Amino acid sequence: DLENTVCDVDGDKLFSTDSLAAVARKASLAATKTHQPIGDLKVSSSLALTSRAQFGVPYLQALSAWSGMYLTPWPFCTIGQARTILRNARDSITAAGKAWGRPTNSKIEQIFLHTAEADLEGGLVGGFVIEAERLYKRVLDLLAEDDVSVESYAATMLKTHCLLGLGKLYLYDAERLSEAEAFARNALDILSSVDPTQRNCIDSQSICFYPWNNSALNKMSHSFHMCMSRQLVAEACIRSSRYDDAKLFLSDAVKDLPGNFDAAFALASFHLRMMFDSDADSCENNDALARTLLLKAAKMDTTRSGPFALLGVWYESQNDEARAKGCYQKALAIDPSHPVAGRGLKRILSLDELQPFCERATKQNSPVNGWAWRCLGQKRSWVDGEDSSAVICFQQALRCRDIQGQGSDSHEMFYLDPRNTSIVPVRASGETWGELANCYRRLGKYSAATRAYEEASIASDGCLSPSTCCAWAQVQLDLGLYDEAAEKCDVILSSGTTSPIHQLVAYIESEALLAMAKQDVQEGKFGLCLSHLQKGIDRLNSLSVQFSSSENFYCVTKLLGDLYTFAESLPSYVFILSSFSEETHDDESTFLSHEVQNQMSFIAKGEEAYMMAQKLAEIEGDSDEDYPYLVASASSDLGTNLLAQARVCSAALGEGSGGGTKTSMFDMAARSGKIMDLITRSINSYTKAIDLNPHDASAWNGLGTALATVDPLLSQHAFCRALQIDKMLADPLSNVGMMY
């Protein structure tokens, strides 16, 4: 078959790349199909396989299907098929040894089979890179031995092949990039030092050496390896931002082997890269040249999806979405899991329109269809609300190389939107972990969500998006990890940028600070408690301008009131350094100490916040079905704040001092008009809340607490009503006991 593909060009015997590929394809099909009985003999299938093995047919088919000395190794095989072909080749050598008594598995055969296996493990999708590295080094060791009967030129070609193989393995490891370039340059120097046209064909009888016995194929093999070595050096130059050198090597690679698709496509993708790379020197011809070279590469091999995918990127960069969409769809028709085409189509289509393409891609046994799994997960989560199904999709995406394996694809830069090249890229694995964590959070699986957020932080080198950090802080708040939640929010708010998510972050941090203040009171850390309250108040006050005309300000003002009201739990001496408010001055205030007046002034600001919340809820009126409940909640909190002010004032005037004098809250209300006014307003606020929401047990309990100072019997009724509504509420029982 190889002899029949030779063509005569100007007196020279040459092979074409297409003809060699056709032979490799034929060998691959022959090696993988189910064999029929030989000729007209009626023998079993197993006997037919044995007969073929005795004559070494599987071994010769393996060499032809591999074709690694003059084509990209294993051009028509999946990794499973290639492994099967090699296993049959090794079995055939054993069978031939038993049938003919020949030496089994000679070093020459070991070299070829090891090289072919290294190529499949290192070059095909799903291979074991560590095994490929071991096999390449093993072949180099065998070639260095003195007793290997391999002709010197053939040994040179095999050595360069292994050096290039090792270079490809190291190319995507940043720490070994220099080694990869050294291997490629070493191979290029060796190839440049030999001239395949100035040697005589060896007289070996072994068909193993056919690539070097045939002068035309020998030239082809030499040109192929020259081309591959230049491409490898160029890729190393690109990764180290030496673009001028890369362009020179890629241009020479195309000249070495004009019909080679890989070389032409590499040069085309390089010029497309130069259009978007900010570190590269701008060139006015890059746009037109990139398109021309991509079209040329697409015509060279219409079965390859890469040129169509990058043409889609080119058209998208020119804002021609119609043609970009067509190119992406063409690429996905050839390779349904192509990561560049899939991501490009996602930028143009909605998730609903993209779903058929994603479903077809996920049916492929491909390690680069993570984009499709992620899109399906986003649709399940964002559109359908099926977080359980979305979790499975995101987990599958994280197992794929295009999501998890950052830097493993030379075309990874084309994953990004070509119209927004200034945007700092975010690692897809970090974003996917964050989306998985959000699903766990909505499902109530907080421990799983926390682990997923931690993985997201690791995958993105700590550079999580503000929305993901905000969701993580919310989970920590729900788990009671208040310090960690506040720390996360601090990081987001200190970034210096302002976005809508910052409003939610400030609210979450204030919630965490209020919870921390409650813990501080229990531990007797009153000064720290006041600091946390003040910090939360400052965060919320910073939102007032942004929220002043928004219904969301209701929640902010309510939380602001909670922060001010909680100051009742603190001893008055912690307010001694606080600024004094003149608004609290009246006749009775002169009997209060400076720190008590400051404390009451601080708590009174909560009254203003709750009144603002009432007004915001009332503005909505009948248009909001939750209107009665919102007003009732704000009124109940207002009553609590007024009662807190009355308690602080009573305590300052001597309530509970003992000594046989009448110093109960009841007596204090009778003696002080200020306290009586606060209690009366508190009762009115609780009453308003109950009128709007009669089934609010906490409002009934608050009303009973306020009434205890003026009407104990009616207070008892309010406590009993609270218990009728919620029998599990402990506060009414405690209050009834205190009243008795």
Side-chain angles (χ1 to χ4, degrees):
D1 287 338
L2 287 172
E3 290 289 352
N4 293 333
T5 60
V6 178
C7 58
D8 193 338
V9 178
D10 297 332
D12 293 333
K13 300 293 184 180
L14 300 176
F15 284 95
S16 70
T17 303
D18 292 341
S19 62
L20 292 174
V23 175
R25 181 179 178 85
K26 183 176 180 181
S28 300
L29 291 173
T32 54
K33 73 177 183 179
T34 303
H35 298 291
Q36 299 298 324
I38 300 176
D40 296 330
L41 298 176
K42 303 298 182 181
V43 297
S44 66
S45 178
S46 61
L47 181 59
L49 288 173
T50 303
S51 300
R52 296 171 64 85
Q54 289 178 357
F55 290 93
V57 173
Y59 177 75
L60 301 180
Q61 287 176 337
L63 294 181
S64 298
W66 166 48
S67 301
M69 297 310 298
Y70 42 83
L71 293 175
T72 300
W74 304 103
F76 301 102
C77 294
T78 64
I79 190 165
Q81 292 172 334
R83 285 170 175 166
T84 301
I85 292 172
L86 278 180
R87 183 174 62 252
N88 291 338
R90 288 192 168 94
D91 292 343
S92 73
I93 294 175
T94 303
K98 293 179 180 178
W100 310 109
R102 66 183 293 279
T104 59
N105 205 16
S106 66
K107 287 189 176 181
I108 295 176
E109 291 161 345
Q110 286 184 44
I111 289 172
F112 277 98
L113 293 178
H114 285 343
T115 306
E117 186 177 1
D119 285 343
L120 79 88
E121 296 293 351
L124 298 186
V125 173
F128 296 105
V129 175
I130 296 178
E131 181 66 10
E133 180 181 5
R134 185 190 68 83
L135 289 169
Y136 282 132
K137 292 180 177 179
R138 175 60 178 157
V139 172
L140 290 174
D141 292 339
L142 289 173
L143 291 172
E145 295 178 1
D146 296 333
D147 60 339
V148 179
S149 56
V150 179
E151 193 264 343
S152 61
Y153 181 79
T156 299
M157 295 302 297
L158 285 168
K159 179 181 179 180
T160 57
H161 186 88
C162 291
L163 290 174
L164 292 175
L166 288 171
K168 291 177 183 177
L169 296 181
Y170 297 161
L171 184 63
Y172 300 106
D173 186 347
E175 296 180 355
R176 310 188 74 173
L177 180 61
S178 59
E179 292 184 60
E181 183 176 355
F183 281 130
R185 288 185 179 275
N186 188 13
L188 184 59
D189 292 340
I190 294 174
L191 291 168
S192 301
S193 64
V194 296
D195 184 359
T197 62
Q198 300 299 322
R199 62 177 298 277
N200 296 321
C201 296
I202 59 176
D203 296 328
S204 174
Q205 300 298 317
S206 172
I207 197 171
C208 297
F209 292 101
Y210 184 79
W212 302 286
N213 285 330
N214 184 285
S215 59
L217 194 58
N218 181 54
K219 294 179 184 178
M220 184 73 178
S221 177
H222 183 271
S223 298
F224 170 76
H225 284 84
M226 286 285 290
C227 179
M228 292 300 102
S229 60
R230 294 189 196 277
Q231 288 184 60
L232 192 56
V233 174
E235 184 64 30
C237 291
I238 291 173
R239 289 181 174 271
S240 55
S241 301
R242 289 174 286 144
Y243 299 110
D244 291 338
D245 292 342
K247 181 180 179 181
L248 180 62
F249 278 105
L250 287 173
S251 300
D252 290 342
V254 173
K255 295 176 183 177
D256 285 332
L257 201 59
N260 184 268
F261 168 84
D262 292 327
F265 181 54
L267 182 60
S269 62
F270 169 79
H271 284 283
L272 184 64
R273 179 192 296 268
M274 294 301 99
M275 290 174 54
F276 309 126
D277 199 316
S278 59
D279 295 332
D281 294 333
S282 59
C283 178
E284 297 179 356
N285 297 327
N286 271 330
D287 289 17
L289 186 58
R291 177 176 176 271
T292 301
L293 292 174
L294 285 171
L295 288 171
K296 181 179 178 180
K299 292 178 181 179
M300 289 178 64
D301 190 347
T302 57
T303 65
R304 305 286 283 271
S305 58
F308 296 103
L310 296 194
L311 276 170
V313 173
W314 189 91
Y315 283 119
E316 189 178 359
S317 70
Q318 307 300 314
N319 295 315
D320 190 347
E321 288 194 354
R323 290 185 178 179
K325 177 182 175 182
C327 290
Y328 289 141
Q329 289 177 335
K330 174 66 174 178
L332 291 176
I334 299 172
D335 179 8
S337 63
H338 197 284
V340 174
R343 285 170 170 82
L345 207 57
K346 179 187 175 184
R347 293 190 292 268
I348 297 174
L349 303 180
S350 66
L351 288 175
D352 287 329
E353 295 172 324
L354 190 64
Q355 183 175 359
F357 296 96
C358 295
E359 290 176 345
R360 194 162 59 130
T362 54
K363 293 178 182 178
Q364 303 291 315
N365 185 20
S366 170
V368 291
N369 61 358
W371 64 269
W373 284 111
R374 185 184 175 193
C375 290
L376 286 179
Q378 290 172 345
K379 184 181 184 301
R380 298 281 192 273
S381 178
W382 301 349
V383 180
D384 302 334
E386 300 176 0
D387 285 318
S388 298
S389 301
V391 164
I392 297 174
C393 294
F394 288 134
Q395 288 174 341
Q396 289 287 350
L398 288 167
R399 296 186 179 101
C400 296
R401 192 176 66 194
D402 63 318
I403 297 291
Q404 198 69 269
Q406 184 78 7
S408 60
D409 186 355
S410 59
H411 295 147
E412 195 171 274
M413 73 166 297
F414 302 121
Y415 291 176
L416 306 176
D417 189 343
R419 293 168 293 187
N420 296 314
T421 55
S422 60
I423 297 178
V424 178
V426 180
R427 295 189 65 166
S429 56
E431 291 181 332
T432 308
W433 274 113
E435 291 163 351
L436 176 62
N438 290 338
C439 290
Y440 282 135
R441 178 176 63 86
R442 288 188 290 269
L443 291 171
K445 299 179 179 180
Y446 294 131
S447 296
T450 299
R451 290 194 295 270
Y453 282 126
E454 290 172 352
E455 290 294 335
S457 180
I458 295 172
S460 59
D461 297 327
C463 300
L464 292 176
S465 66
S467 59
T468 302
C469 283
C470 178
W472 191 358
Q474 183 64 60
V475 169
Q476 291 176 325
L477 183 64
D478 294 337
L479 290 173
L481 304 174
Y482 306 123
D483 292 338
E484 290 85 347
E487 184 180 353
K488 290 283 186 307
C489 295
D490 266 338
V491 172
I492 301 173
L493 295 174
S494 62
S495 62
T497 59
T498 302
S499 64
I501 197 66
H502 282 63
Q503 302 167 356
L504 179 59
V505 171
Y507 185 86
I508 292 175
E509 183 178 14
S510 298
E511 281 191 308
L513 290 168
L514 178 58
M516 293 165 64
K518 293 178 180 179
Q519 290 181 339
D520 295 336
V521 167
Q522 294 175 356
E523 297 172 1
K525 301 176 181 178
F526 302 122
L528 183 60
C529 172
L530 182 59
S531 298
H532 287 150
L533 291 176
Q534 190 61 59
K535 183 177 180 180
I537 290 167
D538 293 341
R539 289 295 192 199
L540 294 180
N541 282 332
S542 67
L543 301 179
S544 59
V545 176
Q546 304 173 41
F547 274 119
S548 57
S549 60
S550 172
E551 61 180 3
N552 292 330
F553 192 42
Y554 172 85
C555 297
V556 174
T557 53
K558 279 261 291 163
L559 181 56
L560 190 61
D562 294 342
L563 289 164
Y564 282 121
T565 303
F566 188 72
E568 180 208 357
S569 303
L570 299 176
S572 59
Y573 63 78
V574 300
F575 293 91
I576 191 170
L577 298 179
S578 301
S579 60
F580 180 75
S581 176
E582 296 293 338
E583 297 177 359
T584 61
H585 267 300
D586 52 39
D587 293 338
E588 295 189 23
S589 297
T590 58
F591 297 100
L592 302 177
S593 64
H594 176 77
E595 55 265 25
V596 172
Q597 293 182 48
N598 287 338
Q599 183 177 15
M600 290 191 63
S601 174
F602 188 88
I603 299 173
K605 293 180 181 178
E607 176 186 351
E608 299 173 5
Y610 289 134
M611 292 177 67
M612 175 63 73
Q614 276 185 329
K615 292 179 181 178
L616 290 171
E618 290 169 352
I619 290 173
E620 296 297 320
D622 298 333
S623 62
D624 190 348
E625 61 181 7
D626 293 330
Y627 153 74
Y629 304 103
L630 296 176
V631 177
S633 178
S635 298
S636 179
D637 289 342
L638 177 58
T640 302
N641 180 275
L642 293 168
L643 188 58
Q645 294 183 56
R647 285 172 174 166
V648 171
C649 187
S650 285
L653 293 175
E655 178 198 359
S657 60
T661 59
K662 294 182 177 181
T663 55
S664 67
M665 185 76 167
F666 183 85
D667 298 319
M668 286 293 177
R671 291 168 52 188
S672 172
K674 182 178 181 67
I675 295 175
M676 192 64 197
D677 177 64
L678 290 169
I679 291 175
T680 302
R681 290 164 58 198
S682 175
I683 292 172
N684 293 336
S685 295
Y686 282 126
T687 302
K688 181 179 180 179
I690 291 171
D691 289 341
L692 292 169
N693 184 14
H695 300 290
D696 186 355
S698 61
W700 280 104
N701 179 61
L703 178 61
T705 305
L707 287 170
T709 61
V710 293
D711 191 342
L713 189 60
L714 191 57
S715 173
Q716 179 184 357
H717 167 73
F719 291 141
C720 292
R721 180 61 182 142
L723 286 171
Q724 287 177 345
I725 297 172
D726 187 356
K727 296 180 180 179
M728 300 301 294
L729 198 61
D731 288 345
L733 281 172
S734 176
N735 289 331
V736 170
M738 288 289 292
M739 188 174 59
Y740 288 158

